[in-house]
């Protein structure tokens, strides 16, 4: 053995210093070799262990699981592995920190030096650190999994909370907007009435505060929607220029009040029509324009629009041409020869966005710049402006109001449209807000004029343009020149006069009204004194209602008045009309803002307003009246359907929330019943150049054009409305501007506009007999109601009250004062009423009988009728319900009044009647029974009414045989009525 040990030392000495624990053992477990690493790990020195039996040091080696595997090594030369995960260590050792070392052990057979079989080379690897690291990783992963789970749970909770928040916001918005509708709408209407300056002042404060509150609510709602990721953008074709001009319209009055010049400039390459969300784009522009006018005291506010085609992935602009350039030119020529706005040649027709694939470019980046000459923004504040709730001046004494949300919302919206927003500004000089969007061009509707091309009718027209504002001069010059006109500009009145004195001939002059030194009117007066200016058609640019007619009257005659900001289409229209001799000094043209009280004359429409709330009907009805429209009303979904059965309406303004049948359901039914066949012809594709058959299914119906009016302003409501078949959506409180925009959209989308046509169904005419029937007070005068049932019920109630009053009065007067039926006044109305609630009772038709000459057949068996009548409850419960519907909370008080008066009047009348019956005085019986039955209707005592009516009829034909018996019944029935009345309050 000694020899074997020695040989082993020689043979394995190279392994003495390797950082693995190594030892060699004989098949009888005698240790032949023990390296230094093992010495260090086990603290067992070579000299102690070599030559000894390893099992005496590590008894676990005796365990069968080790014995068996080691036997394989010794006898068969098969290696064995003992991993740390599965086995205890063969040769244990501890780490310096006292913890057991984690070891992987490989046992390799080595041919024995002497004799048969194998030695076992035990190689031990210290895997403590690796294992420790793995364990740490595992723990970390476990920890992360736990966190992830917690995060997921938190996310789900947050999402649920967000949903709850959105729902809460929707509810809040509805709750706040509904009363705001009444407040703001009524204030607007009140402001139009006569009142003292102080009252007007108070009212103006209410309106401004209401507007401010509403703006804040809208901002907060929008911001929450964006934050919650619930703001979805539309992709519909729209007219870009209209969108910008509509936004300018909204700030025009404010700008004019500050004498600011407002203008918009379109670069030549900007496409006219785009696909996108016009409402949200307009919102951004309104916000920037609103800020610009707010923070500018003098100078100008200008919107500039430029566009550049976006290169596709390969860096090339897409060049797919679906039609030849020639086709486009031909089309332009054709359309420019029949301008839709030229009243001489109106060409109504449905808009057709499929007509031409005009654009060869798949995508544009449109850049908008809103620049002002206002207070500017300090450089260190420009970066925080786009954060929510941030304002440059955040002191509590700040001069300008606002939530500080507008820019944050606008920037997010422009980003959602594929662009961004930034600002350049200089303190005291002004600011330039830029934003971009990405959008696909949309084809133009068929009959749209291409006003970006030369206009043959205007070519060569010599124009003198006088404006002190350089931007306006530039914009107008560019525009007029692009139409082929010859333009000469002047910065002031003096310069203009000089140009004219130089014998230059002009066909037309455009004069700005507001110019320093010499205003437009003074200049015009001077022009008229020059020989070449005597008959020169003059057009004045006005703003904010100035110059007024009073300022002009008797001083000078103009051919046309055009409002700033100048709109391309309006300018074109007025130039054509001047050229055609339509606008002259004798007969000037007024191109006012599109939204004027004569809108109804230009665009006559039959409008139905569906709303169950009376105050809302009044507000929207009055607003429509301001535009010259007389709307018909329906106070329920069913009434709306009935109205549509009777008449064809162009536009239906539809409330969303109504009892029984809401606006969505009503719309679905309208679409099913009235719109089916028009669906295909008059609609437009959703967002695609080439509508397919399937697409057609999705198109919107346009008749009647249904506009939702709702106090719900959350995302999803709009979609719900559109899905139900509505065409447009305005939110409450309803604003005049929103109504006008809705009408304008209807006009654009349906191509119904026919400005020259006089339609037979003029708004001035009431639409049904009921609308004429009743004298109306100032408020209700506007709107003839078509909701006949509601109106009949209303009349019924008024009549009941009226009858009572008359009867009460009559009771104190002589019998002669009792009005016979149909002799006029309220009683006449009462007798004409049909009592829808009385169908269970066979009411004798007194009126019919009265007018026929033949005597009526006497009641076949009046006793029987009387019995059957008495079986009914003494009071018709619907009476009070109707009263409550009409008067709300006041109903109870009114009811008490009615009952008290009835009980005051009825007993003496009954006594009189009984006396008359005793006397068999037919005339008195007739009059008294008639008076009593009238009183019965006021409290809904219908069986008593029935009995009195029978008695009256008997008296009328002097067939009094059963009158005493009937009188008994009447007295008994009165007791029932009295008991019921006393317990009714
Ligand atoms: P607000 O509702 O307060 O106007 P915005 O987000 O629209 O909210 O604007 C934030 C702030 O940015 C404004 O309060 C104002 O201090 C500044 N600001 C915006 N536009 C202009 C501008 N055209 N000129 C000067 N300051 C501006």
């Amino acid at each position: 053995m000694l020899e074997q040990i020695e040989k082993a030392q020689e043979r394995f000495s190279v392994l003495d210093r390797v950082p693995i624990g190594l030892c060699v053992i004989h098949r009888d477990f005698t240790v032949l070799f023990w390296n230094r690493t093992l010495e260090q790990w086990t603290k067992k020195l070579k000299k102690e262990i070599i030559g000894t039996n390893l099992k005496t040091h590590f008894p676990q080696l005796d365990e069968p699981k080790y014995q068996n595997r080691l036997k394989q090594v010794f006898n068969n030369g098969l290696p064995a592995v003992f991993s740390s995960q599965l086995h205890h260590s063969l040769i244990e050792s501890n780490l310096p920190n006292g913890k057991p070392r984690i070891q992987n052990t490989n046992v390799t057979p080595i041919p024995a030096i002497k004799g048969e079989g194998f030695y076992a080379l035990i190689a031990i690897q210290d895997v403590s650190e690796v294992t420790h690291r793995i364990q740490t990783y595992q723990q970390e992963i476990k920890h992360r999994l736990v966190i992830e789970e917690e995060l997921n749970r938190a996310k789900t909770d947050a999402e649920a909370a967000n949903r709850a928040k959105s729902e809460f916001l929707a509810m809040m918005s509805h709750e706040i907007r509904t009363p705001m509708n009444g407040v703001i709408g009524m204030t607007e209407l009140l402001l139009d009435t006569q009142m003292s300056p102080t009252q007007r002042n108070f009212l103006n404060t209410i309106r401004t505060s209401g507007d401010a509150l509403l703006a804040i609510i809208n901002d907060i709602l929008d911001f929450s929607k964006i934050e919650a990721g619930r703001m979805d953008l539309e992709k519909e074709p729209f007219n870009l220029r209209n969108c910008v001009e509509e936004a300018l319209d909204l700030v025009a009055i404010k700008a004019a009040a500050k004498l600011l010049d407002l203008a918009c400039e379109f670069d030549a390459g900007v496409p006219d029509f785009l696909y996108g969300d016009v409402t949200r784009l307009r919102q951004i522009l309104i916000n920037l324009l609103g800020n610009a006018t707010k923070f500018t005291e003098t100078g100008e506010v200008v919107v500039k629009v430029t566009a550049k085609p976006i290169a596709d992935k390969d860096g090339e602009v897409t060049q797919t041409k679906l039609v030849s350039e020639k086709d486009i030119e031909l089309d332009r020529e054709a359309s420019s020869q029949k301008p839709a706005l030229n009243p001489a040649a109106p060409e109504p027709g449905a808009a057709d966005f499929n007509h031409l694939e005009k654009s060869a470019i798949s995508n544009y980046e449109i850049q908008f710049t809103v620049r002002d000459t206002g207070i500017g923004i300090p450089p260190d504040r420009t970066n925080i402006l786009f954060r929510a709730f941030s304002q440059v001046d955040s002191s509590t004494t700040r001069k300008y109001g606002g939530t500080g949300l507008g820019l944050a919302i606008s920037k997010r919206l422009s980003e959602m449209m594929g662009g961004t927003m930034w600002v350049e500004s200089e303190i005291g000089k002004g600011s330039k807000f830029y934003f971009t969007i990405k959008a696909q061009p949309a084809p133009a509707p068929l009959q749209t004029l291409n006003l970006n091309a030369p206009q043959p009718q205007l070519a060569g027209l010599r124009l003198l343009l006088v404006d002190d504002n350089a931007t306006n001069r530039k914009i107008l010059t560019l525009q007029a020149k692009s139409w082929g006109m010859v333009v000469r500009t002047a910065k002031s009145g003096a310069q203009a006069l000089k140009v004219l004195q130089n014998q230059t001939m002009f066909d037309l002059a455009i004069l700005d009204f507001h110019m320093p030194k010499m205003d437009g009117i003074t200049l015009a007066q001077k022009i008229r004194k020059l020989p070449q200016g005597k008959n020169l058609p003059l057009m004045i640019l006005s703003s904010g209602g100035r110059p007024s007619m009073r300022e002009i009257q008797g001083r000078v005659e103009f051919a046309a008045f055009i409002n700033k900001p100048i709109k391309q289409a309006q300018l074109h229209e007025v130039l054509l009309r001047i050229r055609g001799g339509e606008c002259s000094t004798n007969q000037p043209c007024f191109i006012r803002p599109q939204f004027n009280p004569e809108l109804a004359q230009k665009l006559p429409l039959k409008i139905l307003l569906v709303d169950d709330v009376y105050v809302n009907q009044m507000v929207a009805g009055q607003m429509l009246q301001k535009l010259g429209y007389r709307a018909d009303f329906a106070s329920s979904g069913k009434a709306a359907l009935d109205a549509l059965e009777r008449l064809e309406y162009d536009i239906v303004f539809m409330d969303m929330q109504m009892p029984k049948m809401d606006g969505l359901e009503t719309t679905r039914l309208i679409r099913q019943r009235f719109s089916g066949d028009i669906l295909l012809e008059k609609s437009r594709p959703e967002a695609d150049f080439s509508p397919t058959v399937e697409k057609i299914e999705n198109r919107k119906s346009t008749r009647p054009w249904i506009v939702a009016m709702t106090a719900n302003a959350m995302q999803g409501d709009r979609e719900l409305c559109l899905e139900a078949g509505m065409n447009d959506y305005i939110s409450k409180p309803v604003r005049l501007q929103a109504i006008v925009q809705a009408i304008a959209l209807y006009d654009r989308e349906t191509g119904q506009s026919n400005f020259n046509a006089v339609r037979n169904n003029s708004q001035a005419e009431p639409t049904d007999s009921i609308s004429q029937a009743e004298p109306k007070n100032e408020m209700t005068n506007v709107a003839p109601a078509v909701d006949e049932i509601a109106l009949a019920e209303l009349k019924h109630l008024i009549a009941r009250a009226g009858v009572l009053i008359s009867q009460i009065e009559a009771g104190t007067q002589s019998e002669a004062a009792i009005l016979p039926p149909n002799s006029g006044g309220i009683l006449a109305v009462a007798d004409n009423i049909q009592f829808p609630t009385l169908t269970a009772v066979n009411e004798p038709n007194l009126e019919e009988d009265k007018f026929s000459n033949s005597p009526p057949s006497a009641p076949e068996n009046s006793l029987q009728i009387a019995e059957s009548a008495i079986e009914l409850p003494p009071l018709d419960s619907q009476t009070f319900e109707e009263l409550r519907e009409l008067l709300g909370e006041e109903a109870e008080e009114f009811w008490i009044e009615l009952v008290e008066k009835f009980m005051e009047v009825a007993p003496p009348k009954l006594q009189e009647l009984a006396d008359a019956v005793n006397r068999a005085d037919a005339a008195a019986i007739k009059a008294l029974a008639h008076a009593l039955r009238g009183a019965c209707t006021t409290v809904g005592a219908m069986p008593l009414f029935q009995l009195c009516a029978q008695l009256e009829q008997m008296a009328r034909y002097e067939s009094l045989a059963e009158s005493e018996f009937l009188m008994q019944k009447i007295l008994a029935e009165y007791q029932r009525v009295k008991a019921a009345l006393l317990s009714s309050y």
Side-chain angles (χ1 to χ4, degrees):
M1 184 55 70
L2 212 57
E3 188 193 346
Q4 287 187 33
I5 291 171
E6 272 170 19
K7 288 229 164 128
Q9 301 313 309
E10 276 170 33
R11 201 168 157 190
F12 301 116
S13 61
V14 286
L15 303 176
D16 196 31
R17 290 179 183 270
V18 292
I20 299 176
L22 285 171
C23 76
V24 180
I25 53 171
H26 190 266
R27 58 184 304 142
D28 62 6
F29 285 83
T30 307
V31 179
L32 300 176
F33 178 75
W34 192 254
N35 81 346
R36 283 197 189 197
T37 307
L38 278 182
E39 272 191 326
Q40 284 164 9
W41 287 357
T42 58
K43 308 287 180 237
K44 294 188 193 297
L45 299 175
K46 290 179 189 192
K47 56 182 178 196
E48 290 168 23
I49 203 159
I50 292 178
T52 63
N53 191 319
L54 193 61
K55 288 187 204 167
T56 57
H57 304 278
F58 304 101
Q60 67 268 32
L61 283 168
D62 258 339
E63 286 174 29
K65 57 183 177 187
Y66 299 118
Q67 284 287 338
N68 293 341
R69 305 217 18 216
L70 287 170
K71 240 185 227 164
Q72 298 266 354
V73 179
F74 294 129
N75 299 337
N76 307 330
L78 294 175
V81 176
F82 301 91
S83 75
S84 62
Q85 286 100 337
L86 299 176
H87 305 91
H88 288 298
S89 295
L90 294 184
I91 298 169
E92 291 165 335
S93 66
N94 284 342
L95 291 167
N97 62 12
K99 290 190 177 166
R101 176 171 279 112
I102 301 166
Q103 304 175 163
N104 275 346
T105 305
N106 286 293
V107 185
T108 315
I110 297 170
I113 296 170
K114 216 173 166 193
E116 289 174 5
F118 298 88
Y119 299 148
L121 168 64
I122 302 174
I124 304 166
Q125 211 181 349
D126 182 354
V127 292
S128 308
E129 205 183 315
V130 178
T131 310
H132 180 69
R133 239 184 276 154
I134 289 171
Q135 279 170 351
T136 317
Y137 286 147
Q138 277 173 342
Q139 270 170 4
E140 214 165 283
I141 288 168
K142 236 191 224 167
H143 184 63
R144 283 194 189 177
L145 282 174
V146 170
I147 291 178
E148 210 168 282
E149 210 169 278
E150 276 171 12
L151 277 176
N152 274 338
R153 207 174 314 127
K155 191 171 156 245
T156 320
D157 289 352
E159 278 166 358
N162 219 350
R163 263 198 307 280
K165 189 180 89 179
S166 299
E167 273 151 26
F168 173 73
L169 280 171
M171 198 241 329
M172 279 274 292
S173 102
H174 184 261
E175 292 304 308
I176 297 171
R177 275 157 185 270
T178 305
M180 288 287 284
N181 189 32
V183 173
I184 293 180
M186 284 301 182
T187 312
E188 276 194 17
L189 297 178
L190 260 182
L191 275 168
D192 262 6
T193 61
Q194 288 249 320
M195 64 185 71
S196 73
T198 325
Q199 286 171 327
R200 186 165 294 280
N201 197 6
F202 289 164
L203 223 59
N204 270 322
T205 312
I206 297 180
R207 187 175 58 179
T208 334
S209 312
D211 282 346
L213 181 57
L214 203 65
I216 293 169
I217 295 168
N218 286 341
D219 272 2
I220 293 175
L221 269 170
D222 273 351
F223 192 71
S224 324
K225 271 191 264 178
I226 296 177
E227 285 293 281
R230 289 182 61 180
M231 174 82 82
D232 291 331
L233 297 182
E234 276 195 348
K235 204 176 173 209
E236 296 277 330
F238 68 92
N239 183 326
L240 181 59
R241 195 178 275 269
N242 279 353
C243 169
V244 176
E245 288 177 350
E246 280 160 13
L248 280 162
D249 265 338
L250 284 178
V251 292
I253 293 176
K254 245 190 223 161
K258 288 174 141 185
L259 299 178
L260 298 177
D261 269 302
L262 204 56
C264 75
E265 204 178 329
F266 272 77
D267 239 24
V270 179
D272 294 338
F273 293 87
L274 294 176
Y275 282 110
D277 193 324
V278 64
T279 317
R280 294 298 174 188
L281 179 59
R282 200 188 300 116
Q283 183 180 349
I284 304 178
L285 285 164
I286 291 170
N287 182 40
L288 296 185
L289 283 166
N291 280 345
T293 25
K294 183 156 86 171
F295 297 107
T296 306
E297 293 312 317
T298 55
E300 61 181 27
V301 171
V302 183
V303 186
K304 182 166 180 170
V305 189
T306 56
K308 65 170 189 231
I310 302 175
D312 61 21
K313 279 185 221 101
D314 309 325
E316 282 191 18
V317 168
T318 320
Q319 289 296 330
T320 347
K321 296 220 169 194
L322 300 184
V323 288
S324 71
E325 207 61 57
K326 199 167 153 235
D327 290 338
I328 297 168
E329 273 321 308
L330 278 175
D331 177 64
R332 279 181 187 158
E333 260 180 54
S335 60
S336 61
Q337 274 158 19
K338 40 177 179 171
L341 288 171
N342 180 355
E347 186 63 29
D352 180 1
F353 281 91
N354 318 317
H355 153 64
L356 271 189
E357 189 57 70
K358 198 156 81 172
S359 174
I361 296 159
S362 63
N363 232 338
Y364 276 99
E365 184 181 80
I366 318 279
Q367 181 175 307
F368 301 82
T369 313
V370 176
R371 66 165 199 264
D372 63 55
T373 49
I375 58 173
I377 299 159
D380 61 324
R381 309 294 289 169
T382 49
N383 53 342
I384 63 144
L385 286 184
F386 300 105
R387 285 191 214 146
F389 305 106
S390 60
Q391 291 174 320
V392 170
D393 174 10
S394 52
S395 65
T396 47
T397 54
R398 65 200 167 83
K399 184 172 158 194
Y400 308 98
T403 54
L405 278 174
L407 288 176
I409 294 168
S410 300
K411 182 161 195 260
R412 299 284 284 271
L413 284 175
S414 66
E415 284 165 356
M416 287 173 74
M417 294 181 192
T420 185
M421 181 176 279
W422 69 101
V423 62
E424 287 169 8
S425 186
E426 215 177 307
I427 278 280
K429 288 209 164 156
S431 312
K432 277 186 191 174
F433 279 86
Y434 298 88
F435 74 95
T436 55
I437 61 165
K438 284 194 185 119
Q440 268 186 334
L446 182 58
Q447 80 283 31
T448 310
L449 279 181
N450 180 9
L451 295 179
N452 295 330
Q455 304 296 308
Q457 299 100 315
L458 298 177
L461 204 69
R462 291 161 302 176
L463 168 69
L464 172 63
L465 170 64
V466 194
D467 197 329
D468 61 310
N469 181 285
T471 310
N472 268 341
R473 282 201 309 275
K474 182 181 142 201
I475 294 171
L476 269 174
T477 307
L478 279 174
Q479 184 64 81
K481 280 189 173 169
S482 80
W483 288 338
M485 294 167 67
V486 182
V487 187
R488 184 76 203 267
T489 59
K491 284 185 201 165
S492 64
Q495 203 182 9
L497 291 170
K498 226 179 255 168
V499 172
L500 280 167
Q501 275 154 1
N502 284 343
Q503 302 295 316
T504 322
M505 290 305 291
F506 290 98
D507 300 306
L508 167 74
I510 297 181
L511 318 179
D512 183 28
F513 166 67
H514 181 73
M515 290 190 290
K517 291 192 191 143
M518 193 190 300
D519 70 19
I521 300 180
T522 319
L523 172 61
Q525 281 178 312
K526 294 197 172 175
I527 290 176
R528 284 281 176 257
K529 289 189 184 133
L530 298 174
Q532 56 275 64
K534 237 186 196 105
N535 296 316
L536 180 64
L538 300 177
M539 180 160 115
I540 193 136
L541 294 181
S542 47
S543 55
R546 291 204 62 203
S548 66
M549 288 317 285
R550 206 179 315 144
E551 279 173 286
I552 298 167
Q553 213 137 47
R555 291 174 67 188
V556 75
E557 280 151 345
F558 288 96
F561 296 78
I562 188 160
N563 248 53
K564 277 187 181 178
I566 301 160
K567 294 173 185 159
Q568 190 188 41
Q570 287 180 349
L571 182 68
H572 182 258
E573 182 191 350
V574 83
L575 288 174
L576 277 187
R577 289 168 74 175
I578 290 176
R579 172 113 240 206
E582 243 188 277
C583 307
S584 64
T585 45
N586 299 330
Q587 195 192 342
C589 294
F590 293 87
I591 306 294
R592 295 207 193 94
Q594 200 185 347
F595 316 130
N596 62 39
E598 287 123 45
L599 186 61
Q601 275 166 27
K602 281 188 161 189
L603 184 61
L605 295 171
K606 294 278 327 138
I607 297 176
L608 178 65
L609 223 149
V610 190
D611 201 314
D612 60 315
V613 180
Y614 180 59
V615 73
N616 291 344
Q617 287 183 6
M618 256 162 68
V619 168
Q622 288 280 315
M623 286 181 176
L624 283 165
Q625 198 201 16
K626 277 174 183 273
L627 303 168
Y629 293 107
R630 284 186 73 172
D632 291 348
F633 291 153
S635 50
S636 67
K638 189 185 168 302
L641 291 169
D642 291 347
L644 283 159
E645 290 281 359
R646 286 193 295 271
L647 267 176
E648 223 183 67
Y649 287 92
D650 300 305
I651 303 185
V652 178
F653 287 97
M654 177 77 71
D655 183 29
M656 285 267 273
Q657 292 195 337
M658 290 186 287
K660 291 190 195 143
M661 194 196 292
D662 67 10
L664 295 175
E665 197 182 338
T666 311
T667 302
R668 276 184 214 112
L669 288 173
I670 292 177
R671 290 295 177 231
Q672 270 169 27
R673 288 195 205 166
F674 305 104
S675 311
D677 49 338
I678 309 158
L679 243 142
L680 298 184
E681 341 161 356
K682 292 228 169 146
S683 49
R684 60 202 167 91
E686 288 294 342
D688 202 314
F689 286 100
S690 50
T692 58
V693 177
E694 304 87 76
K695 271 254 144 55
I696 288 172
E697 307 287 329
N698 289 328
R699 291 174 176 191
K700 290 175 183 172
S701 172
T702 59
R703 194 166 201 108
W705 183 262
I706 304 179
V707 183
M709 286 195 309
T710 168
N712 293 345
M714 286 302 286
Q715 184 63 33
D717 293 335
R718 191 184 169 83
E719 285 64 31
L720 279 178
C721 292
L722 298 181
E723 265 166 34
M726 295 186 184
N727 305 84
D728 194 8
Y729 170 106
I730 58 178
S731 58
K732 286 180 181 173
V734 173
R735 314 305 295 260
L736 188 60
Q737 193 69 29
I739 290 188
V740 168
Q741 271 168 10
I743 293 175
L745 182 72
Y746 160 81
D747 184 32
R748 278 205 301 279
E749 298 291 299
T750 58
Q752 300 295 312
S753 175
N754 183 348
F755 285 74
N756 234 14
V758 179
R759 288 180 37 176
N760 292 333
N761 50 357
S762 153
Q763 278 59 47
E765 295 305 316
T767 53
D768 62 55
S769 56
I770 288 174
S771 62
Q772 291 172 305
E774 284 293 295
K776 300 173 184 98
N777 63 30
E778 201 188 344
M779 285 298 201
T780 51
N781 231 351
V782 216
V786 293
D787 186 355
E788 285 177 43
I789 296 171
L791 198 81
E793 279 170 6
L794 180 67
K795 279 204 271 180
H796 184 179
L797 283 161
I798 292 170
R800 284 181 181 194
V803 166
L804 179 76
I805 291 159
S806 305
Q807 296 296 320
I808 288 161
E809 280 164 11
T812 59
Q813 291 165 11
S814 70
E815 268 172 26
I818 299 171
L819 295 168
N822 265 0
S823 66
I826 287 170
L827 275 177
V829 178
D831 278 338
N832 279 336
I833 295 164
Q834 291 175 4
F835 295 89
T837 54
L838 283 179
T839 41
V841 181
N842 293 323
E843 186 192 6
N845 191 340
L846 300 178
E847 297 319 310
E848 210 175 69
D849 294 343
K850 181 171 163 271
F851 288 112
S852 69
N853 287 328
S854 58
S857 49
E860 282 158 34
N861 184 348
S862 44
L863 293 183
Q864 196 185 333
I865 293 171
E867 290 297 350
S868 72
I870 290 171
E871 278 161 21
L872 291 165
L875 297 179
D876 173 13
S877 62
Q878 216 161 324
T879 308
F880 182 65
E881 288 313 312
E882 284 167 358
L883 209 59
R884 194 202 290 284
E885 233 173 62
L886 188 73
L887 300 175
E889 282 175 8
E890 281 165 39
E892 264 170 48
E893 212 179 301
F894 187 61
W895 175 249
I896 295 172
E897 216 174 295
L898 279 181
V899 170
E900 279 173 359
K901 284 191 179 156
F902 176 80
M903 294 212 302
E904 191 186 315
V905 165
K909 278 268 169 268
L910 281 169
Q911 189 54 56
E912 280 179 59
L913 185 61
D915 292 348
V917 168
N918 272 343
R919 293 197 309 273
D921 180 347
I925 295 173
K926 195 175 90 177
L928 288 161
H930 181 84
L932 256 171
R933 86 175 162 95
C936 289
T937 62
T938 61
V939 289
M942 299 328 286
L944 186 57
F945 167 95
Q946 177 81 5
L947 293 169
C948 291
Q950 284 177 33
L951 191 57
E952 187 187 353
Q953 205 174 16
M954 281 179 185
R956 181 171 292 166
Y957 297 103
E958 298 184 356
S959 129
L960 298 173
E962 291 172 85
S963 63
E964 277 183 26
F965 176 76
L966 207 52
M967 190 62 220
Q968 293 309 314
K969 288 277 170 202
I970 287 173
L971 291 172
E973 178 60 14
Y974 174 71
Q975 293 309 318
R976 275 200 338 142
V977 171
K978 192 173 149 192
L981 285 175
L982 288 174
S983 60
S984 73
Y985 62 91

